[in-house]
Amino acid sequence: MFYLAKKDLERLYREVEGLELQLKVLAKQYEDAMLERVTLQSEADLMERRAGAADKLIGGLGSENVRWRNELEELKKRRVQLLGDCLLGAGFLCYVGAFSWDFRSVMVYRDWKSNVIELGIPMSQPFRLEHLLTDDVEISRWTSEGLPPDELSIQNGILTSLCHRFPLCIDPQEQALHWIIRKEEKNNLKAGRTIIM
């Protein structure tokens, strides 16, 4: 009877050892499964954030699509209007530099513009030389260099910058002189003075 108990005890020890071995294997599998769960959860969170960002991007691009279509239509209109705009701009650059601001305004905005309209040539409405021949950034740079921001000075800045002929500046207050010196100092412009009596 003692022998059976010892035999039963050994069998129980072997079963316990087998169960402990199975428990270690199951614990390792559980640990691996939990690690995989954490990894999958972090990947799922990342995918969810990316999906949210993608939805926002698609929504943003949808509204951009509307803006781009409107801008394309505006550019198509501008392309047709450039014919009259360039005609007036070229006339301004070629012919009006020597005249006063009043005479320029009458010539460009009353006479030439009305002729262009009468001939049915498409042009921007309202037409402004400053919008065609320069932009706000350039005007800001000029004013930071000392050019006054009035319309006459801006037109003179356009003529000075865009014409291929040398400008004649009648400049009793020396505003143009100071502006040109500051504008061209990067090109090592040296200013001399000529006094005509």
Side-chain angles (χ1 to χ4, degrees), residues 132-160:
L132 176 67
L133 299 173
T134 190
D135 58 26
D136 292 337
V137 175
E138 185 79 21
I139 292 171
S140 294
R141 185 171 38 250
W142 291 346
T143 56
S144 72
E145 293 167 343
L147 185 70
D150 60 274
E151 188 175 1
L152 174 63
S153 297
I154 300 301
Q155 286 183 3
N156 288 338
I158 290 169
L159 290 167
T160 303

Side-chain angles (χ1 to χ4, degrees), residues 10-20:
E10 287 176 1
R11 185 177 53 85
L12 286 173
Y13 280 133
R14 281 192 303 270
E15 282 183 31
V16 168
E17 283 177 359
L19 290 174
E20 284 178 352

